[in-house]
Amino acid sequence: MNEAMNFIEDHLTEEIDFHQVACIAYVSEYHFKRMFSFLAGITLSEYIRRRRLTLAAFELRHGGQKVIDIAMKYGYHSPDAFTRAFQKMHGITPSEARDNGYSLKAYPRMTFQLSIKGGSEMNYRIEEKESFRIAGIKKRAPIIFEGVNPHIEGMWKSLTEEKVRQLKDLSNIQPSGIIQASANFSEGRMEEKGELDHYIGVATTKDADIDFTTLKVPASTWAVFEVIGPFPDTLQDVWGRIYSEWFPSSNYQQKKGPEILWNADKDFSSPNFRSEIWIPVDKIK
């Protein structure tokens, strides 16, 4: 990861080849971007934007170059675009940044360190599954980390007993019964920005009713994590640990596909509430 970060730092004035960055870290581009977001708390593109604008501010304050030259150097093709981005981060215009009376923001380069601490076990299994479909209802919903997402809550309320019965009749593979799945996340996921496609439905190989939306899921390897404890705190904790602990120490990387949540029952008040998180993975070669 640190070698990949060094590469990014050395090429901030150029168009960065993210595929090459990911190769340095021995993972896919998709997995690198997701891992970075979970570990760093911001998206990779946002990190690069902040680093470029930090260096641009240094050069404006201490150098004699024209604003347009610095804008072009850091990938902005017009003074207006550069000014808007600069002002959004620093709160002042590039011209004002030349004056010593104004304060500027600096976003330091990022490095990763290994922290060893008393760990707690994670129960998981690896499953191979043939292609299947998720059939149910779908909504493009805003990403909300804490509390109840009213858009998803509204989806649950829209499910009549008849629709639930129809869905359960379609369920014929694991994970069985009603499941939730999220896909097509916006890039700003880890900053609680953007949206995702949320499904409430079932995993099936049957043809679904025309009233239901279907998502085709290709044959994949799945890492399945068992979650037991108070809901939703334990679930959120395990979800974070999958990216911060399990992926970095495993021989797997995440692949594109839906993240699936299966709940054992509806008693969310149970101190031993049981769930499973299903994530599609590839083995790192």
Side-chain angles (χ1 to χ4, degrees):
M1 289 291 287
N2 283 327
E3 288 180 10
M5 298 307 293
N6 290 338
F7 179 89
I8 289 172
E9 193 69 21
D10 292 340
H11 294 81
L12 285 173
T13 58
E14 306 167 23
E15 184 174 347
I16 295 173
D17 184 342
F18 292 118
H19 177 72
Q20 189 171 353
V21 172
C23 286
I24 293 170
Y26 299 103
V27 294
S28 69
E29 180 181 338
Y30 176 78
H31 184 68
F32 183 85
K33 288 182 176 179
R34 295 296 296 278
M35 280 289 296
F36 182 92
S37 294
F38 273 94
L39 293 173
I42 62 170
T43 63
L44 183 58
S45 61
E46 176 63 16
Y47 168 75
I48 292 171
R49 187 188 73 85
R50 293 181 188 181
R51 284 296 298 142
R52 284 172 170 164
L53 290 172
T54 294
L55 297 181
F58 286 148
E59 294 189 24
L60 283 166
R61 177 63 58 86
H62 303 294
Q65 296 183 69
K66 295 179 180 179
V67 171
I68 183 60
D69 292 336
I70 294 175
M72 295 293 288
K73 180 178 180 180
Y74 289 103
Y76 293 89
H77 299 297
S78 74
D80 289 343
F82 178 65
T83 298
R84 286 194 299 271
F86 193 93
Q87 194 161 19
K88 182 179 179 181
M89 175 169 167
H90 295 285
I92 59 175
T93 66
S95 298
E96 291 171 332
R98 294 191 185 279
D99 299 330
N100 288 327
Y102 292 97
S103 62
L104 295 165
K105 294 179 181 178
Y107 196 84
R109 65 181 296 175
M110 190 176 293
T111 58
F112 293 93
Q113 299 178 5
L114 176 64
S115 176
I116 300 174
K117 57 185 179 181
S120 54
E121 66 181 18
M122 296 180 71
N123 295 321
Y124 75 94
R125 67 183 187 273
I126 301 295
E127 288 204 9
E128 301 287 342
K129 287 187 70 64
E130 296 298 321
S131 61
F132 64 95
R133 289 184 290 276
I134 295 173
I137 59 173
K138 169 195 169 186
K139 184 180 180 68
R140 189 73 178 162
I143 295 171
I144 298 175
F145 282 167
E146 296 182 4
V148 175
N149 187 319
H151 298 267
I152 295 176
E153 183 182 37
M155 292 176 68
W156 281 105
K157 289 180 179 179
S158 72
L159 279 175
T160 63
E161 289 186 9
E162 176 61 20
K163 283 192 178 293
V164 171
R165 184 192 64 76
Q166 291 173 355
L167 285 171
K168 288 184 175 179
D169 287 344
L170 283 173
S171 175
N172 65 345
I173 57 171
Q174 294 293 324
S176 61
I178 303 295
I179 61 173
Q180 299 182 71
S182 298
N184 297 325
F185 295 90
S186 297
E187 191 179 57
R189 175 184 184 180
M190 287 313 299
E191 298 173 86
E192 205 170 355
K193 295 177 181 177
E195 299 174 317
L196 55 82
D197 289 342
H198 193 77
Y199 296 81
I200 300 176
V202 295
T204 184
T205 57
K206 299 178 181 177
D207 291 329
D209 188 281
I210 195 170
D211 291 335
F212 294 126
T213 301
T214 59
L215 174 67
K216 292 182 179 179
V217 183
S220 302
T221 301
W222 296 79
V224 185
F225 299 86
E226 184 180 50
V227 183
I228 299 177
F231 182 90
D233 294 347
T234 307
L235 179 67
Q236 293 169 344
D237 176 64
V238 171
W239 219 304
R241 289 179 62 207
I242 290 170
Y243 289 92
S244 64
E245 298 177 23
W246 188 82
F247 271 123
S249 62
S250 74
N251 291 321
Y252 291 92
Q253 61 182 347
Q254 187 173 10
K255 64 179 290 187
K256 277 192 175 182
E259 298 178 12
I260 296 174
L261 173 64
W262 171 85
N263 294 325
D265 54 56
K266 295 182 180 179
D267 184 13
F268 295 109
S269 64
S270 171
N272 296 309
F273 187 80
R274 181 168 172 261
S275 304
E276 286 183 351
I277 299 169
W278 292 59
I279 297 179
V281 297
D282 278 329
K283 198 154 191 176
I284 298 175
K285 297 178 181 178

